[in-house]
Amino acid sequence: TQTVSQSDAHVTVFEGDSVELRCNYSYGGSIYLSWYIQHHGRGLQFLLKYYSGNPVVQGVNGFEAEFSKSDSSFHLRKASVHWSDSAVYFCAVSAIDMGYKLTFGTGTSLLVDP
Amino acid sequence: NSKVIQTPRYLVKGQGQKAKMRCIPEKGHPVVFWYQQNKNNEFKFLINFQNQEVLQQIDMTEKRFSAECPSNSPCSLEIQSSEAGDSALYLCASSPDWGSQNTLYFGAGTRLSVL
């Protein structure tokens, strides 16, 4: 069984700050890792994903994430946030032998103060 | 921006009533997923399709849930007899193929309120 943990329910930063949203997972096999963003009242939008290769992956709007097998983590980062980045961010994992179903964390609500 | 279209955006039903929601996946996407997102941001996978065929589904809450993706028609998810606990955001997502399942394109969702 896959589990996904997003330890910070809420993060508040100022516009222009850097931010890191944390994601830890547990699963013994090969997995896919991804991040999605959900603005208020809207569906999820794909940000980026990792399966293999370079552990640092680039996504849309300046986001990147780094996979660490030793830490079982896939943290999301952005060097300089904008007020429009305020949203809920979800980390998700899936695995071939779990039928590719996504298992989501419970999200981190990011508030960017202008 | 996603081109997955979900209707209606909001749905209000009384307990015991039927609730039906629809989803038009992105053009050319044969894979469709339905998820339930509750107010605590917990996601529950419900069912997925490849073309018209059901690939995986949960034990759908005593069979109150049914879904289909007919050819040349919107996909649909129906709750036969709504319960208060069904109040949630129902998300439809599509994908261009099974192998790239990790990239799902979501619609805006149907928010169901069961009074």
Side-chain angles (χ1 to χ4, degrees), chain A residues 66-88:
Chain A
E66 183 168 4
F67 168 70
S68 170
K69 187 172 183 178
S70 59
D71 293 340
S72 297
S73 68
F74 189 56
H75 301 330
L76 182 71
R77 300 189 295 246
K78 187 169 183 178
S80 178
V81 295
H82 186 263
W83 64 266
S84 61
D85 294 323
S86 296
V88 183

Side-chain angles (χ1 to χ4, degrees), chain A residues 8-83:
Chain A
D8 299 316
H10 301 278
V11 172
T12 301
V13 296
F14 289 102
E15 198 167 35
D17 285 351
S18 64
V19 70
E20 179 178 85
L21 306 182
R22 293 181 291 188
C23 172
N24 291 89
Y25 66 90
S26 66
Y27 187 70
S30 297
I31 58 171
Y32 294 78
L33 293 153
S34 53
W35 278 94
Y36 287 82
I37 180 175
Q38 186 176 37
H39 286 100
H40 180 69
R42 298 176 65 176
L44 300 172
Q45 287 179 271
F46 172 77
L47 279 180
L48 47 76
K49 68 179 176 183
Y50 172 82
Y51 177 62
S52 65
N54 189 338
V56 179
V57 291
Q58 306 296 322
V60 297
N61 295 333
F63 286 96
E64 69 173 29
E66 183 168 4
F67 168 70
S68 170
K69 187 172 183 178
S70 59
D71 293 340
S72 297
S73 68
F74 189 56
H75 301 330
L76 182 71
R77 300 189 295 246
K78 187 169 183 178
S80 178
V81 295
H82 186 263
W83 64 266

Side-chain angles (χ1 to χ4, degrees), chain B residues 14-103:
Chain B
Q15 294 197 48
Q17 291 186 318
K18 282 187 185 180
K20 188 169 185 175
M21 55 204 83
R22 293 175 175 81
C23 169
I24 300 175
E26 277 205 39
K27 190 174 182 181
H29 285 195
V31 178
V32 173
F33 281 73
W34 284 97
Y35 284 89
Q36 179 196 66
Q37 181 185 9
N38 69 18
K39 63 179 181 180
N40 296 319
N41 282 337
E42 294 163 332
F43 290 80
K44 178 190 285 187
F45 163 79
L46 297 176
I47 191 169
N48 57 15
F49 294 84
Q50 184 159 16
N51 297 310
Q52 294 80 51
E53 182 183 349
V54 175
L55 296 179
Q56 301 159 312
Q57 63 181 324
I58 64 167
D59 178 19
M60 290 179 121
T61 337
E62 301 171 5
K63 307 300 183 187
R64 292 187 300 109
F65 288 68
S66 62
E68 61 177 3
C69 270
S71 176
N72 298 319
S73 292
C75 298
S76 64
L77 176 69
E78 185 171 51
I79 307 173
Q80 299 301 319
S81 178
S82 302
E83 298 177 355
D86 298 330
S87 296
L89 182 67
Y90 290 83
L91 293 165
C92 174
S94 70
S95 183
D97 60 63
W98 188 241
S100 64
Q101 180 275 354
N102 200 45
T103 303

